[in-house]
């Protein structure tokens, strides 16, 4: 599985959440954390322009967000993009947690970690709702493939 699909850096979703928590704790304030999250988005694999359409669009996001999922070898891999820098970073963060995992692990990884990390509360209401909509779309893709 290659670009545009994100390969996992950590062995498990819970390890990815812990790594993100550790990385965010390095920064003293939310402006620095936002900058770090934006940088995560800039490192996403290139998303094919032909996927920037309604079929791939995530509903419920203030910005435009597109996701694509592919199953390979019993694992689900995701590609994603947003037209807003901070949201693209949030896409990268979610893909780091969920991409390259089994459907069972995706379903077992509650997106409540977004609140635990303080991300939803630190964002505007619309952005917070959008990141939760992205997490729902990822889990919905896993649920539809899980037999």
């Amino acid at each position: 599985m290659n670009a545009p699909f994100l390969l996992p850096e950590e062995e498990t979703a819970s390890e990815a959440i812990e790594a993100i928590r550790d990385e965010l704790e390095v920064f003293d304030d939310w402006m620095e954390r936002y900058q770090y999250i934006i940088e995560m988005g800039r490192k996403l694999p290139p998303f094919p322009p032909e996927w920037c359409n309604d079929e791939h669009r995530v509903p419920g996001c203030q910005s435009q967000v597109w996701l694509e999922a592919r199953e390979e070898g019993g694992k689900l891999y995701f590609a994603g993009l947003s037209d807003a820098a901070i949201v693209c970073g949030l896409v990268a963060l979610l893909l780091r947690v969920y991409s390259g995992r089994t459907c069972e692990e995706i379903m077992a990884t509650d997106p409540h970690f977004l609140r635990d990390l303080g991300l939803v509360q630190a964002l505007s209401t619309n952005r917070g709702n959008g990141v939760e909509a992205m997490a729902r779309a990822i889990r919905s893709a896993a649920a539809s493939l899980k037999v």
Side-chain angles (χ1 to χ4, degrees):
M1 182 69 51
N2 294 351
F5 298 95
L6 192 71
L7 301 176
E9 296 176 41
E10 291 82 15
E11 286 290 315
T12 66
S14 58
E15 286 176 22
I17 293 166
E18 282 307 309
I20 292 165
R21 174 177 284 122
D22 292 346
E23 290 162 10
L24 291 176
E25 284 178 356
V26 168
F27 303 105
D28 294 329
D29 64 38
W30 272 103
M31 289 312 294
E32 291 174 343
R33 289 181 185 133
Y34 287 147
Q35 197 54 48
Y36 178 74
I37 291 168
I38 289 169
E39 285 303 314
M40 286 177 73
R42 290 188 178 133
K43 294 176 184 170
L44 277 173
F47 193 81
E50 61 270 17
W51 289 352
C52 294
N53 58 31
D54 286 344
E55 181 184 339
H56 292 89
R57 187 149 186 226
V58 177
C61 296
Q62 178 182 14
S63 304
Q64 293 193 79
V65 176
W66 302 277
L67 285 175
E68 170 68 12
R70 290 271 161 86
E71 189 272 331
E72 185 174 293
K75 295 185 177 181
L76 201 53
Y77 295 86
F78 292 92
L81 178 70
S82 174
D83 61 350
I86 186 69
V87 179
C88 209
L90 294 167
V91 169
L93 188 146
L94 284 169
L95 297 191
R96 182 171 171 186
V97 171
Y98 289 113
S99 189
R101 314 288 178 208
T102 63
C103 292
E104 291 77 15
E105 185 176 8
I106 292 168
M107 295 307 294
T109 305
D110 192 301
H112 201 271
F113 74 87
L114 296 164
R115 291 190 180 278
D116 295 343
L117 293 173
L119 285 168
V120 173
Q121 303 87 313
L123 297 167
S124 70
T125 302
N126 285 340
R127 293 240 193 268
N129 291 340
V131 76
E132 290 177 329
M134 287 184 269
R136 278 193 306 276
I138 288 168
R139 288 168 52 91
S140 175
S144 70
L145 288 174
K146 190 175 174 189
V147 178

